[in-house]
Amino acid sequence: MRAFATLVDRLTYTRSRNAKLDLIADYLRTTPDPDRGWALAALTGALDFPAVKSSTIRNLLTERVDPVLYTLSRDYVGDTAETASLLWPAPEGEDPSDEPSLSEVVDLLRAMTRSTVLTELPKLLDRLDANGRYALLKFATGAMRIGVSARLARVAFAQAFDVSVDEVEEYWHGVEPPYPTLFAWAAEGAPPPRTDLVPLFRPFMLAHPLDETVVSMDDYAAEWKWDGIRVQLVHINGETRVYSRSGDDISATFPEMAEALDFPAVLDGELLVRGSHQGGEEGGAASFNALQQRLGRKTVSKKMLREAPAFVRLYDVMIRDGEDLRELGWAERREHLELLMDRLDPKRFDLSRLIEADSFEDLATIREGARDDAIEGVMLKRRDSPYIAGRKVGLWYKWKRDPLLIDCVLMYAQRGSGKRSSFYSDFTFGCWDGDPDKGADLLPVGKAYFGFTDDELKWLDRHVRQNTVNRFGPVRETDKSLVLEIAFDSVHESKRHKSGLAMRFPRINRIRQDKPAHEADRIAALKALVRD
Amino acid sequence: MPIKPAPDFSWIKPDPHGIFVEPCNAWIDPSKPVETALVTHGHADHARGGHGAVFATRETLAIMDLRYGGAGRDVMIPMREPVDIGGGVTATYFPAGHVLGSAQILLEHAGERVVVTGDYKRRPDPTCEPFEVVPCDIFITEATFGLPVFKHPPIAGEMRKLLDAREQRPEGCVAVGAYALGKAQRVICELRRAGYDEPIYLHGALEKMCALYEELGVPLGELRSATGIKKDELKGQIVLCPPSALNDRWSRRLPDPVTAMASGWMRVRQRARQRNVELPLVISDHCDWDELTQTITEVDPAETWVTHGREEALLRWCQLNQRRARALAMVGYEDEDD
């Protein structure tokens, strides 16, 4: 437990991604089984001990500490587990040799029930120091919140044993904590975990930005780039799972899709919600904003299923009836995919239409003329490209629609973290809520922390320092004299912001030193760009 | 235990700007310029410039001279010697263990005894005299770390963390944010006690104060300025700076620094994370919760007044322990960088 507590402690204070990877990889290499497996499960959020809740911890504490002093402490610290770890009255005569191992902790936590937890958890807490108690409570409540994503933990696993992260992702959904077969494969060269019985995630093939490249339409096929989320549907052994691009299982969020595939296959497509914002009636898809209402839910109401039904626009087929098609060229796979459509429910699936273009110039014209702002752009796929995990140069390209642009005024700046910790690098900008010459005010419309070069960052940092009019903790308010040209992909109505608008992917496109602040855009101009 | 009867100390008046001692028209640690100021220690929130006369220990006067270039007419008060300050009031200064020269002030008038602690701690500190328990009727205490979550660990472990971090980074350095008066010198002394005799590098804002400490008899070993030297020279070194410099432009001169901070607040993870601290060192010049409550128990006053900090929790503790207590709403005492 001590090694795990130290890992949690150090991860808490580490900001650099590489340093986090090193810490986790080092831990996984040097810790014995099954402890390291349990730790990996904790870091990837795969553990849940239903008997231990935040309220359990609170009850334990208020039995031991004056409730008023507990509440004052909790309010100050802001985290129940940390408050408890600090306030826990250490027993007399501590015996460090009695510290439990992580696997012993798991066995004890699993054995606890709602009725025994109030007597059993204290015994465990008594055997640990403050750091150990913190790690234990975070571990037991399943909410680590130490800035480590499940993906980062898997990358660290691959790094620890020098195996390919794509392979780790591929086996991941077929193994259970504490992952003995996964460690045996990666650390000791045993055969990989079996993958033929569970609906596993296969890493996606991804595209490079086209930039200045010009391709021949003889070699490449073009499709629209729909603005939903990329998903993979996997059916095997009577079970279907829906995976997001990061390999997260989102079947529970989209149960109608999990029910819709009933033969062994792995399909690749764009998850969308029915509507007409993207591509009109023919396009048949609602805006990303409509889809967003359904993301991140663990359960879905009937009303939601009725009002925002999901479907998948298919791009590719990776495996069909147990046959792996990934080695075939794109054109052959496309034929297989088209033949598959008869076996799929048209309510839940349609086929991503190909764009008929005679030449690259022709395609450019079609792309320019796409009336529909909600479509993200165009995809170009080499006709003979096999399905290869990751981004391989020359096979697939994305040719995004040109971004929308608007001129905003810099309002606030905040210092960044990590390498940027000494720079003001997070910028909040606003538009005028009326005529600035008639006393209109600026309303914040967005926040951006990229899009500029290192030199521009230095310049912006200096501008902020020299033009500060107010400080609020880490935030500086500037004199609102600087115009920034902001590029963004789309803008939506939002109740969360005072301006009533929220941008997608805002970034700083240009610093407009030449433009006076009162000539920056108004809220109305931004509102006119809303497409849903 | 019955609550002792409330004493009627009408001659001592808590005011938002300090403690006012009416019979002699004097203020303790006033936050505005006054005719006569009794100053407990040299931190800027307690010792301000612009007073008529300043009554303080030799070291505190020296620190104020350095900071304000003469804060007023100096009256040096030796430790433990009662001094008649007029109006029938006697003041005696006792060590507070907070920083070099820090004192608690015992005020006696008409047979009544009041102790004003200023800031204090109970842990050993090689840079100053330890706190002494002074019996009194009214005990006016700080409560900077007045929450039961604050327990300062033994300093040796924190020094180990600092030295380990340095060893792990031969190509980088450890930048330690430490308050310029007191904390910085204590960290240096503790490093020396832990056997570290390499040169320690200083931010310009710490240099004069360190020199003054040495002059006043606190040896600090070899110190070097971190200003105007090559980046490479700082590789594998420990650099001390004020906390505010850690995330500011000054730190760009350092080779791949680990950001450390020596402060009692580092006990709380979120506080450390908010300040971008990578290596929190829980080192405080104030009492932790157990020391605060232990001190009140030992002094055993009829009444406890709390000047600043997290007074609510300490008042609650007094209530639970049948002790009469009240909070004074003082302004201008800061606790951010301890």
Side-chain angles (χ1 to χ4, degrees):
Chain A
M1 187 75 198
R2 178 162 304 252
F4 179 69
T6 305
L7 175 69
V8 169
D9 198 45
R10 297 191 60 185
L11 285 172
T12 307
Y13 301 115
T14 303
R15 280 166 182 263
S16 133
R17 179 183 151 88
N18 285 339
K20 283 181 189 175
L21 287 173
D22 288 347
L23 283 172
I24 301 170
D26 194 47
Y27 173 87
L28 294 176
R29 261 194 310 269
T30 54
T31 307
D33 287 317
D35 278 19
R36 59 185 176 180
W38 293 119
L40 185 61
L43 294 175
T44 52
L47 289 180
D48 185 26
F49 301 101
V52 188
K53 294 267 166 278
S54 197
S55 57
T56 321
I57 301 172
R58 189 173 60 241
N59 291 339
L60 281 179
L61 260 292
T62 48
E63 280 172 14
R64 286 163 176 78
V65 179
D66 172 55
V68 175
L69 290 178
Y70 169 78
T71 305
L72 288 169
S73 299
R74 166 69 183 71
D75 289 350
Y76 179 81
V77 174
D79 178 287
T80 301
E82 182 167 11
T83 311
S85 74
L86 295 173
L87 280 183
W88 191 257
E92 297 293 318
E94 269 178 281
D95 176 10
S97 66
D98 191 35
E99 204 174 285
S101 70
L102 200 52
S103 42
E104 190 188 345
V105 165
V106 171
D107 291 341
L108 292 169
L109 287 171
R110 280 186 161 172
M112 289 178 200
T113 63
R114 293 281 274 282
S115 53
T116 63
V117 67
L118 291 176
T119 53
E120 293 303 313
L121 189 55
K123 290 182 197 161
L124 203 43
L125 287 166
D126 279 346
R127 293 166 65 188
L128 297 162
D129 64 8
N131 267 352
R133 290 191 292 265
Y134 176 76
L136 170 74
L137 293 173
K138 285 286 173 186
F139 183 80
T141 50
M144 300 297 293
R145 293 209 186 91
I146 47 174
V148 176
S149 67
R151 166 78 184 172
L152 186 85
R154 293 196 288 266
V155 173
F157 177 90
Q159 184 182 311
F161 304 108
D162 199 20
V163 292
S164 129
V165 68
D166 286 335
E167 276 189 84
V168 176
E169 294 286 7
E170 184 146 353
Y171 304 139
W172 184 255
H173 293 279
V175 290
E176 297 282 333
Y179 317 114
T181 53
L182 194 68
F183 278 98
W185 160 70
E188 286 143 36
R194 282 190 70 171
T195 59
D196 50 349
L197 298 175
V198 265
L200 289 187
F201 169 73
R202 270 86 177 173
F204 281 102
M205 179 159 178
L206 304 170
H208 270 281
L210 185 66
D211 295 330
E212 305 302 313
T213 314
V214 172
V215 300
S216 156
M217 297 315 289
D218 294 336
D219 300 332
Y220 285 82
E223 293 172 90
W224 294 110
K225 186 174 179 346
W226 300 94
D227 191 11
I229 59 167
R230 185 96 177 268
V231 291
Q232 183 175 106
L233 287 113
V234 188
H235 180 98
I236 201 161
N237 236 4
E239 189 190 352
T240 306
R241 286 191 201 162
V242 184
Y243 289 111
S244 71
R245 225 189 83 169
S246 50
D248 293 323
D249 182 352
I250 53 169
S251 314
T253 312
F254 297 98
E256 70 266 54
M257 291 314 308
E259 285 164 13
L261 182 62
D262 57 4
F263 56 90
V266 179
L267 306 174
D268 177 351
E270 194 85 10
L271 188 114
L272 296 155
V273 163
R274 290 281 175 204
S276 58
H277 286 98
Q278 295 190 47
E281 287 305 322
E282 189 200 358
S287 70
F288 185 82
N289 215 28
L291 173 62
Q292 201 153 33
Q293 313 302 319
R294 287 203 50 182
L295 296 179
R297 290 174 191 272
K298 284 195 177 148
T299 55
V300 193
S301 67
K302 282 201 177 115
K303 180 165 178 266
M304 201 148 248
L305 286 172
R306 198 171 55 240
E307 289 176 0
F311 71 102
V312 169
R313 182 152 290 162
L314 292 169
Y315 293 138
D316 217 318
V317 52
M318 296 153 78
I319 295 175
R320 188 217 52 210
D321 299 322
E323 189 189 346
D324 197 332
L325 308 176
R326 284 180 283 182
E327 299 283 311
L328 302 178
W330 172 86
E332 281 178 84
R333 290 200 311 278
R334 175 80 189 186
E335 277 177 35
H336 284 290
L337 180 62
E338 286 176 7
L339 286 173
L340 265 188
M341 296 313 293
D342 285 344
R343 295 167 69 184
L344 293 165
D345 179 357
K347 230 168 56 196
R348 295 285 168 235
F349 293 97
D350 65 14
L351 187 62
S352 164
R353 191 163 62 82
L354 299 182
I355 305 171
E356 301 299 334
D358 297 332
S359 64
F360 188 74
E361 292 70 31
D362 192 17
L363 180 67
T365 314
I366 295 172
R367 174 177 162 275
E368 287 298 316
R371 282 163 305 156
D372 197 327
D373 290 337
I375 293 175
E376 271 197 295
V378 165
M379 295 295 299
L380 286 161
K381 294 177 178 173
R382 216 184 141 86
R383 293 178 192 271
D384 60 3
S385 60
Y387 196 102
I388 295 175
R391 266 189 193 91
K392 199 155 160 31
V393 180
L395 298 184
W396 287 10
Y397 290 109
K398 54 185 171 193
W399 191 11
K400 279 207 175 186
R401 193 168 36 75
D402 293 336
L404 301 166
L405 297 175
I406 194 150
D407 286 331
C408 298
V409 181
L410 175 64
M411 299 179 71
Y412 307 95
Q414 189 169 359
R415 278 199 285 232
S417 56
K419 263 191 204 161
R420 286 176 168 183
S421 65
S422 73
F423 290 98
Y424 284 89
S425 59
D426 294 11
F427 305 102
T428 301
F429 41 81
C431 289
W432 297 105
D433 64 356
D435 186 345
D437 294 329
K438 292 183 184 145
D441 286 322
L442 283 167
L443 281 184
V445 296
K447 223 177 157 180
Y449 39 91
F450 63 101
F452 35 76
T453 64
D454 286 355
D455 284 339
E456 283 173 327
L457 175 59
K458 277 185 196 154
W459 188 91
L460 284 164
D461 178 66
R462 203 165 51 242
H463 170 86
V464 170
R465 290 170 192 279
Q466 289 171 356
N467 297 280
T468 299
V469 294
N470 242 325
R471 293 169 197 226
F472 312 93
V475 177
R476 288 195 187 206
E477 181 177 4
T478 66
D479 63 355
K480 305 183 188 75
S481 60
L482 181 68
V483 176
L484 299 172
E485 183 181 272
I486 304 295
F488 56 103
D489 283 7
S490 58
V491 58
H492 304 278
E493 308 263 359
S494 163
K495 290 193 185 91
R496 248 183 284 171
H497 300 85
K498 204 174 164 191
S499 62
L501 297 169
M503 294 178 175
R504 278 193 84 201
F505 299 130
R507 60 257 183 201
I508 291 170
N509 204 45
R510 266 199 302 168
I511 303 171
R512 291 294 304 266
Q513 282 170 265
D514 54 313
K515 197 163 192 175
H518 68 267
E519 284 180 22
D521 280 306
R522 299 188 192 174
I523 297 278
L526 188 58
K527 213 169 232 165
L529 298 171
V530 172
R531 285 289 175 270
D532 57 5
Chain B
M1 186 173 62
I3 294 183
K4 294 184 186 178
D8 172 30
F9 287 72
S10 54
W11 54 278
I12 186 136
K13 295 198 156 43
D15 179 281
H17 292 287
I19 308 276
F20 182 52
V21 192
E22 197 170 55
C24 53
N25 192 29
W27 292 77
I28 299 178
D29 292 352
S31 59
K32 60 177 185 187
V34 297
E35 196 45 50
T36 306
L38 314 185
V39 173
T40 59
H41 67 284
H43 279 146
D45 48 338
H46 294 259
R48 291 173 194 254
H51 303 311
V54 174
F55 291 58
T57 61
R58 179 173 76 101
E59 294 85 356
T60 300
L61 289 172
I63 290 163
M64 290 178 76
D65 270 354
L66 179 71
R67 292 197 149 172
Y68 305 114
R73 190 166 51 81
D74 290 355
V75 183
M76 205 255 278
I77 309 281
M79 288 287 188
R80 303 179 196 83
E81 283 183 24
V83 175
D84 182 353
I85 55 170
V89 181
T90 308
T92 317
Y93 284 39
F94 291 91
H98 177 57
V99 296
L100 181 61
S102 67
Q104 348 164 35
I105 302 174
L106 165 69
L107 298 163
E108 291 170 286
H109 177 71
E112 297 174 328
R113 291 162 65 89
V114 174
V115 166
V116 182
T117 64
D119 293 335
Y120 67 107
K121 72 169 172 289
R122 307 295 304 268
R123 304 290 170 108
D125 177 343
T127 69
C128 61
E129 280 191 78
F131 179 91
E132 290 173 18
V133 171
V134 180
C136 58
D137 304 301
I138 294 184
F139 186 59
I140 305 183
T141 179
E142 59 134 330
T144 304
F145 290 102
L147 273 178
V149 290
F150 290 110
K151 288 195 181 82
H152 308 325
I155 196 165
E158 304 306 289
M159 287 298 122
R160 194 67 260 155
K161 284 202 290 193
L162 173 53
L163 291 171
D164 286 349
R166 173 192 167 262
E167 261 166 49
Q168 283 160 10
R169 274 203 175 221
E171 289 303 306
C173 70
V174 187
V176 185
Y179 200 69
L181 164 56
K183 188 67 62 65
Q185 296 77 20
R186 184 175 171 211
V187 167
I188 295 169
C189 280
E190 290 288 352
L191 278 171
R192 301 305 185 206
R193 272 167 39 127
Y196 184 74
D197 44 23
E198 300 287 314
I200 293 172
Y201 290 78
L202 301 179
H203 181 283
L206 307 184
E207 289 177 37
K208 279 188 186 160
M209 195 56 77
C210 286
L212 179 64
Y213 260 63
E214 297 225 75
E215 218 174 281
L216 292 170
V218 182
L220 299 175
E222 186 183 350
L223 305 176
R224 289 188 193 166
S225 171
T227 315
I229 59 167
K230 288 211 177 77
K231 214 175 195 176
D232 277 357
E233 195 186 326
L234 295 173
K235 280 188 180 170
Q237 302 296 347
I238 294 174
V239 185
L240 261 60
C241 64
S244 59
L246 279 179
N247 290 319
D248 213 336
R249 280 176 289 183
W250 179 82
S251 66
R252 290 179 202 168
R253 74 187 64 208
L254 304 176
D256 191 20
V258 184
T259 310
M261 178 127 123
S263 158
W265 301 116
M266 294 298 110
R267 172 88 169 159
V268 175
R269 279 158 206 272
Q270 281 314 321
R271 289 292 289 252
R273 290 188 58 159
Q274 276 161 14
R275 302 203 58 158
N276 290 344
V277 170
E278 295 163 302
L279 178 67
L281 303 172
V282 188
I283 302 174
S284 174
D285 285 332
H286 295 269
C287 287
D288 66 12
W289 173 258
D290 289 343
E291 293 167 61
L292 281 172
T293 55
Q294 171 210 339
T295 305
I296 294 173
T297 309
E298 286 177 16
V299 172
D300 194 24
E303 195 164 322
T304 302
W305 295 358
V306 186
T307 53
H308 63 291
R310 261 125 289 275
E311 56 269 10
E312 266 182 291
L314 199 56
L315 293 185
R316 172 69 181 175
W317 179 87
C318 288
Q319 186 195 347
L320 291 171
N321 288 275
Q322 315 272 305
R323 291 187 172 277
R324 201 181 288 278
R326 63 185 274 209
L328 314 179
M330 308 290 269
V331 295
Y333 290 147
E334 291 154 14
D335 52 34
E336 272 311 303
D337 278 337
D338 172 73

